[in-house]
Amino acid sequence: MIFIVLLLFPLAVAAAVPFVKNDAARGNIVRAGAIAVALLSIAAVCAHFQNGAVLTLPYLRAVKYGMMLAEAAIAVYIIRAGLKSKKILAPLLAGVQTPALILFELFYGKNHEAETTILFDRFSAVMVLIIGVIGGLICIYAVGYMRWYHVHHTDHPARKGFFFAVLFLFLSAMTGLVLFNDITMMYFCW
């Protein structure tokens, strides 16, 4: 259960932060979220370092189909943004790898299901600890950094809420990349 919270909590913070317009309140939410992510990481490692953990998600097929839809939407966004900025490599890669993974999952992947969705061993424990603690410290440092960034860079629009949302989205994605034992879910986090 702690692994699901460790994956979803940063997503909740990422969803909430862009809507907070007050810098002080947003900073407090980011600090509290970063501390919570670090504490959740430490708790997961303390609870499961010796014996590890194996977890299978309920409704796995529905979760994977939802992830495939999200992957397709992200690929469309990447292709659109890349073509708009006249960069061809990112749209090309997104246009090749996303359909390839979706086709693999729909036609070949049904026969090769991973028995476990989340696999937590000692290596992933170390990685979760690094992601949670170091990533949390980076988020806390970024609060002070972003407070002064736009004072000195007035030519850029202030997008602090978006910046912090991306940081917490990154924390969740890296945690998923370390924990998931399924290629579709790992690709989604990648």
Side-chain angles (χ1 to χ4, degrees):
M1 180 64 181
I2 193 164
F3 302 114
I4 303 300
V5 175
L6 192 57
L7 288 165
L8 295 181
F9 181 76
L11 289 178
V13 175
V17 164
F19 299 107
V20 179
K21 300 302 179 197
N22 184 317
D23 281 345
R26 184 176 40 243
N28 289 334
I29 291 171
V30 169
R31 285 185 199 99
I35 290 169
V37 168
L39 291 176
L40 283 168
S41 299
I42 292 168
V45 169
C46 289
H48 299 286
F49 185 75
Q50 284 297 345
N51 299 327
V54 175
L55 180 66
T56 301
L57 293 177
Y59 310 109
L60 180 61
R61 181 65 38 200
V63 170
K64 288 173 86 171
Y65 283 141
M67 286 184 160
M68 282 191 287
L69 285 173
E71 288 166 5
I74 292 169
V76 167
Y77 172 76
I78 290 171
I79 291 168
R80 187 171 161 242
L83 293 176
K84 183 179 177 183
S85 65
K86 297 182 179 162
K87 308 279 189 204
I88 193 68
L89 186 59
L92 180 67
L93 291 174
V96 170
Q97 67 189 21
T98 302
L101 182 75
I102 290 172
L103 290 173
F104 170 81
E105 186 61 37
L106 290 176
F107 297 110
Y108 184 72
K110 288 181 181 180
N111 301 329
H112 302 333
E113 288 284 330
E115 292 179 15
T116 59
T117 309
I118 292 176
L119 181 64
F120 188 80
D121 57 5
R122 289 185 179 179
F123 178 69
S124 54
V126 171
M127 295 306 294
V128 163
L129 199 57
I130 290 170
I131 293 164
V133 174
I134 303 300
L137 290 173
I138 289 169
C139 290
I140 291 170
Y141 174 79
V143 171
Y145 176 80
M146 289 303 286
R147 182 181 317 124
W148 294 107
Y149 178 80
H150 290 291
V151 171
H152 299 292
H153 298 90
T154 57
D155 53 331
H156 298 291
R159 296 176 57 188
K160 295 176 189 175
F162 178 76
F163 174 79
F164 289 118
V166 169
L167 279 180
F168 279 96
L169 187 66
F170 182 75
L171 288 177
S172 180
M174 289 300 100
T175 304
L177 192 60
V178 168
L179 293 179
F180 285 136
N181 191 37
D182 184 270
I183 192 71
T184 303
M185 297 175 136
M186 284 179 65
Y187 178 70
F188 179 76
C189 292
W190 185 261

